[in-house]
Amino acid sequence: MRRFTETAKENTTIRRPFKADAPVKEGPRSNREIRVPRVQLIDADGNNLGPVATDEALRMAEDAGLDLVEISPNNDPPVCKILDLGKLKYANQKKAAEARKKQKIVEIKEIKMRPNIDTHDYEVKMKAINRFFEDGDKVRVTLRFRGREMAHQELGLKLLQQVKEDTAEIAKVEAEPKLEGRQMMMVLAPR
């Protein structure tokens, strides 16, 4: 029988936190986070005061009851401005929300057809495709083959070529027709 005489201390390793474990701060550096000896200072009224010692700039910001915020950290010396950091963060959040509101998310709409589609059904599908392009969406045209239709894939290819010709003025082909299993697909994008 074997005895264990090692102590727990000998087996443990001390793990020190990495810098990557520290939380990453969002936004510009401010107040005591600015650790350069001199900064290019802009006061609360927007006047350029030139290069100033960082301690003096911090004191001026405290006297005004505002924060010293690093505006352009890559300059030499970095450009700092005396302003209200809370108002700056709020304004940036508002700008980001406005930008998110204005952006259009392009969706891929799908139109399914069969190789032996009738003319009226085809026209209805084309109206739907045109409506999708007006909304700025992409369209995936899917042609499904069943049973013996697989033997006549040229009919499906002919139908997809007709769709391509009918939408030539308003759309461009993003993915040419290709066969995947029992389906032939083509992707169209608005011009």
Side-chain angles (χ1 to χ4, degrees), residues 125-183:
K125 300 281 187 181
M126 291 308 294
K127 281 183 186 174
I129 289 174
N130 290 332
R131 192 175 64 243
F132 293 148
F133 287 141
E134 287 171 8
D135 293 341
D137 296 324
K138 294 180 182 181
V139 176
R140 178 190 301 133
V141 182
T142 303
L143 209 60
R144 185 162 182 104
F145 295 100
R146 290 167 74 185
R148 290 192 181 160
E149 291 173 351
M150 282 299 288
H152 301 287
Q153 294 174 11
E154 69 277 356
L155 295 175
L157 195 58
K158 187 175 161 187
L159 181 65
L160 288 180
Q161 291 300 331
Q162 185 180 350
V163 170
K164 185 161 62 168
E165 290 169 12
D166 291 348
T167 59
E169 304 102 38
I170 57 171
K172 61 181 183 282
V173 177
E174 196 169 88
E176 288 293 330
K178 67 178 179 192
L179 189 70
E180 289 182 8
R182 292 189 159 272
Q183 295 185 23

Side-chain angles (χ1 to χ4, degrees), residues 35-132:
R35 293 197 173 98
V36 290
R38 297 182 73 71
V39 294
Q40 181 79 21
L41 185 64
I42 298 171
D43 67 359
D45 300 325
N47 302 323
N48 190 350
L49 302 180
V52 177
T54 307
D55 296 334
E56 186 180 337
L58 278 168
R59 188 182 44 74
M60 290 170 71
E62 286 173 9
D63 291 346
L66 299 170
D67 301 298
L68 182 67
V69 180
E70 197 172 45
I71 301 298
S72 179
N74 298 332
N75 287 10
D76 189 33
V79 178
C80 293
K81 188 171 183 178
I82 297 175
L83 51 84
D84 187 357
L85 185 60
K87 282 185 182 177
L88 178 72
K89 286 182 177 178
Y90 181 75
N92 289 344
Q93 282 179 343
K94 283 291 184 189
K95 279 184 195 173
E98 193 66 32
R100 277 194 305 273
K101 198 184 297 181
K102 287 183 181 176
Q103 76 182 12
K104 168 79 173 94
I105 298 161
V106 176
E107 292 183 40
I108 297 181
K109 303 287 188 170
E110 186 171 28
I111 294 288
K112 293 184 178 182
M113 294 184 186
R114 297 285 307 281
N116 55 354
I117 189 169
D118 197 31
T119 54
H120 178 69
D121 295 334
Y122 176 79
E123 290 168 8
V124 170
K125 300 281 187 181
M126 291 308 294
K127 281 183 186 174
I129 289 174
N130 290 332
R131 192 175 64 243
F132 293 148

